């Protein structure tokens, strides 16, 4: 029985290692998608700011005017412009955090700390697993393997000791 548990632990460790090895690649693909989103939001916000300036208004004045308009379409466009500006700020900060994270493993941790869920979901939908050919991918895989395998061994050993402690004591006649 113990051999089966040990083999299962090894298999779980290998599976977790393969999954963990994907973290640097996922972070890289997420960062690419993040960069494209930030570029597009900058274009949209710059266009809004240029339209505001062309009409003699600041960005904040233009937002206030649109948001306060009685026409539902116009006020909704104001709310959308405000949301774009807020999202651009948040994603730019995340992009800066990823750039300062220091290597693929650092970027993977930075993505896990504060992901933009719509970007993370889109990245996941399009994600294609990669063979970890970099030191960071291999390190992540090894860490995933060791954590899972060690955790399984600890659980199996604890379970084995509990089973041994419950066996009835037979008395000689």
């Amino acid at each position: 029985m113990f051999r089966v548990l040990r083999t299962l632990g090894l298999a779980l460790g290998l599976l977790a290692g393969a999954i963990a090895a994907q973290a640097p690649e996922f972070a890289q693909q997420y960062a690419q998608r993040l960069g494209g989103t930030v570029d597009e939001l900058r274009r949209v916000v710059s266009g809004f700011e240029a339209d505001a300036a062309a009409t003699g208004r600041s960005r904040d004045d233009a937002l206030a005017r649109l948001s306060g308009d009685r026409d539902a379409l116009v006020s909704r466009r104001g709310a959308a412009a405000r949301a774009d500006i807020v999202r651009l700020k948040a994603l730019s900060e995340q992009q800066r955090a990823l750039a300062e994270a220091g290597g693929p493993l650092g970027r993977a941790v930075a993505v896990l700390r504060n992901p933009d869920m719509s970007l993370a979901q889109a990245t996941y939908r399009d994600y294609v697993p990669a063979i970890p050919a970099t030191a960071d991918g291999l390190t992540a895989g090894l860490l995933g393997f060791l954590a899972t395998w060690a955790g399984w061994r600890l659980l199996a050993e604890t379970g084995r000791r509990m089973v041994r402690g419950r066996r009835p004591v037979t008395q000689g006649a």
Side-chain angles (χ1 to χ4, degrees), residues 51-130:
D51 289 345
T55 60
R57 290 184 172 79
S58 70
R59 179 176 81 181
D60 291 336
D61 289 342
L63 285 171
R65 175 152 180 178
L66 289 174
S67 298
D69 198 288
R70 291 183 184 198
D71 185 331
L73 175 63
V74 175
S75 66
R76 288 175 65 96
R77 293 306 309 147
R82 186 177 308 278
D84 286 344
I85 291 167
V86 168
R87 187 162 190 237
L88 174 60
K89 182 179 182 212
L91 293 181
S92 294
E93 288 171 5
Q94 187 179 40
Q95 192 175 40
R96 190 172 21 265
L98 287 175
E100 295 170 356
L105 283 176
R107 282 192 295 275
V109 170
V111 168
L112 287 173
R113 279 188 188 146
N114 185 26
D116 178 88
M117 290 313 293
S118 64
L119 281 177
Q121 288 169 349
T123 303
Y124 177 74
R125 278 192 306 270
D126 295 339
Y127 181 73
V128 177

